[in-house]
Amino acid sequence: KGAADLKMHKAMKHDIDVQWHKCNLCDYKCKQAGNLRQHEMKHGIDVQLHESDMCDYKCKSAGSLKFHKANKHDIGVEWHQCDLCDFKCKGAADLKRHKAMKHD
C-alpha cells in the first residue's frame, strides 16, 4: 500500500482533499467521476447502450456488459481449480468456500 492508497482512503472515508464531481442538472455530487456518469444517465445524458454480441442483453455501462459476458457466457473468466478434486469455479471466494465445505 502506497501514498496513492492513503490519499484515496482519506478522500473516500474522511472527505480530505476531495475533488467533488457535481451534476449540472440537480444538487447531486460525488467523489468519483464514474459515479457522476452513472447519475447523469438517470437524466438521460449521454446514454450509450452497450450490446452483447452473443445475446439480446443491453446495458448502460461497459463494466456491466463485461460482468454479463463473464457470468452468462463464460467470456473472460479466470477459472479457479481445486487442487484436491475436479471442482472448478469462477471466483476465488467460491473455491475457498468449496474447500472449507468439502475438504476440511
Side-chain angles (χ1 to χ4, degrees):
K1 303 261 180 187
D5 293 323
L6 179 58
K7 183 176 181 179
M8 178 68 78
H9 169 80
K10 286 179 177 180
M12 293 297 126
K13 299 295 181 185
H14 307 291
D15 293 343
I16 296 171
D17 295 328
V18 174
Q19 176 186 352
W20 290 101
H21 301 273
K22 298 176 183 177
C23 178
N24 294 326
L25 299 173
C26 70
D27 294 334
Y28 179 82
K29 69 178 183 176
C30 59
K31 298 172 187 175
Q32 296 181 319
N35 291 346
L36 179 59
R37 284 191 296 276
Q38 284 292 114
H39 167 79
E40 288 175 336
M41 287 180 190
K42 294 176 184 177
H43 292 299
I45 296 172
D46 292 330
V47 177
Q48 174 189 1
L49 291 179
H50 299 266
E51 299 181 25
S52 173
D53 56 356
M54 306 187 81
C55 67
D56 293 333
Y57 180 79
K58 297 176 185 177
C59 58
K60 295 179 182 177
S61 75
S64 293
L65 180 58
K66 184 178 179 180
F67 182 81
H68 164 80
K69 285 184 171 184
N71 285 301
K72 299 298 181 185
H73 306 293
D74 293 337
I75 303 298
V77 173
E78 179 184 341
W79 290 98
H80 299 268
Q81 177 74 46
C82 180
D83 58 347
L84 301 171
C85 70
D86 292 333
F87 179 81
K88 70 177 183 176
C89 57
K90 296 177 185 177
D94 295 330
L95 179 58
K96 187 175 181 179
R97 183 171 37 256
H98 161 78
K99 284 185 169 183
M101 304 252 326
K102 299 290 184 183
H103 301 299
D104 279 349

